[in-house]
Amino acid sequence: MKTKALLKAFIVFSCLAAAAPAMAFDLSKAVSGAVKVTQAVTLTDEQMTEYVKEYIDWMDKNNKVCDAKSPYTIRLNKLTKGLTKVEGIPLNFKVYYVKDVNAFACADGSVRVFSSLMDIMTDDELLGVIGHEMGHIAHKDSKESFKRALLTSALKDGLSAKGGKTAALTNSQLGDLGEALIHANYSQSQEYAADDYGYDFLKKAGKNPWAMAYSFKRLKKMQDDAGVKQSKGMEQLFSTHPDLDKRITRMESRAEKDGIKKPANTKK
């Protein structure tokens, strides 16, 4: 990717309806001033939606997007056929041809999957990642986190211009936002709720919800393989999410109770 240190670890992050990507923040970059605090607290849904669009447009511009003929795009389109909306929000999918192992979903329905993630995951595992992120969008987990990111990543002093229209972010500010986004985390209750939503979302769409368990098994394998050599990003991922073994058990138990047959989970 072109921006410094942007999205280097496997941290699948998301944005919720009427909010930009939900991430924690770097306190070293925190800014002071009651005016900025008030502005962030009073941002309207429309204003935050504008920031989401600005961010996803910038990401699409600053990463190599696979075209319609790319095997990655063809595979993702086939995989996500039938996944058209989450809570009324139209979904659109693209693949970034980058070396980083990641994916994210935003409030406007933009889902971006990185080619390197597709290289190491089966279709079922990728579906599990997507299903989980749909849960975070549906539950609007990231709205307050995004507000805090605006307050603490030194994006700008004034968040909105006269007339209620948001002021455009500079490339530097968007890069700072990207840096803040790598530190995303949710509470365990939010993660479990997103898991459950993802299970139901996939099942309702005619996909096999065993995908949820398979995606967590892949993450668990990544954790085990990393061992003491895991990167700072990997350490954060596994320390801020609920225990993967418990998440695997929860999803497997639901699928078994529903009498759903396990898919082969082989590389396509």
Side-chain angles (χ1 to χ4, degrees):
M1 300 176 65
K2 295 183 180 181
T3 52
K4 182 181 67 175
L6 184 61
L7 309 174
K8 285 188 176 178
F10 185 85
I11 305 173
V12 181
F13 61 92
S14 59
C15 331
L16 59 104
M23 299 297 152
F25 43 88
D26 182 354
L27 292 178
S28 68
K29 295 182 179 179
V31 295
S32 60
V35 173
K36 186 168 185 179
V37 173
T38 301
Q39 287 174 321
V41 170
T42 58
L43 273 177
T44 66
D45 285 351
E46 290 76 15
Q47 288 172 324
M48 286 206 288
T49 298
E50 287 183 49
Y51 280 123
V52 175
K53 184 179 187 306
E54 186 175 0
Y55 185 74
I56 194 66
D57 286 348
W58 182 79
M59 287 292 289
D60 286 352
K61 180 180 178 181
N62 284 276
N63 291 282
K64 182 177 180 180
V65 178
C66 293
D67 62 30
K69 295 181 179 180
S70 166
Y72 289 107
T73 301
I74 293 171
R75 180 187 172 199
L76 186 62
N77 287 344
K78 181 179 179 181
L79 173 66
T80 58
K81 184 177 181 180
L83 305 183
T84 59
K85 293 183 179 180
V86 56
E87 299 301 314
I89 302 169
L91 298 172
N92 69 89
F93 297 86
K94 291 183 181 179
V95 180
Y96 288 166
Y97 188 72
V98 293
K99 65 181 180 180
D100 302 311
V101 178
N102 216 327
F104 67 91
C106 282
D108 62 350
S110 298
V111 182
R112 303 295 181 259
V113 181
F114 295 14
S115 59
S116 293
L117 176 63
M118 297 183 71
D119 287 339
I120 66 171
M121 281 194 162
T122 66
D123 283 357
D124 291 301
E125 291 162 355
L126 286 169
L127 273 176
V129 169
I130 292 170
H132 175 81
E133 288 311 300
M134 295 303 101
H136 283 310
I137 294 176
H139 296 151
K140 302 185 178 181
D141 292 330
S142 59
K143 186 172 185 178
E144 293 307 315
S145 293
F146 177 61
K147 286 183 179 180
R148 290 194 296 270
L150 285 178
L151 289 172
T152 58
S153 61
L155 295 181
K156 60 198 307 175
D157 292 331
L159 295 178
S160 59
K162 291 182 180 180
K165 182 175 175 58
T166 59
L169 299 175
T170 66
N171 282 338
S172 176
Q173 290 164 342
L174 285 162
D176 286 343
L177 175 59
E179 292 286 353
L181 300 184
I182 7 186
H183 302 293
N185 64 81
Y186 299 106
S187 69
Q188 290 199 3
S189 61
Q190 287 174 318
E191 294 290 7
Y192 285 135
D195 293 349
D196 289 331
Y197 185 94
Y199 180 99
D200 292 331
F201 176 81
L202 294 177
K203 183 179 177 182
K204 185 177 180 180
K207 309 293 184 181
N208 194 316
W210 273 98
M212 300 299 298
Y214 286 157
S215 67
F216 299 142
K217 285 185 176 182
R218 172 60 64 180
L219 288 175
K220 182 66 163 57
K221 186 177 188 306
M222 290 172 65
Q223 180 187 39
D224 293 342
D225 289 347
V228 295
K229 296 181 180 180
Q230 63 185 344
S231 68
K232 181 178 179 180
M234 292 282 282
E235 289 172 354
Q236 180 181 5
L237 171 65
F238 297 121
S239 66
T240 58
H241 284 62
D243 181 84
L244 288 169
D245 287 325
K246 290 181 179 178
R247 296 173 80 180
I248 293 167
T249 299
R250 288 181 77 249
M251 295 295 97
E252 287 183 335
S253 295
R254 286 200 63 182
E256 289 169 353
K257 184 178 180 180
D258 288 343
I260 299 173
K261 184 178 179 180
K262 290 183 181 181
N265 193 36
T266 55
K267 277 286 185 70
K268 302 296 188 294

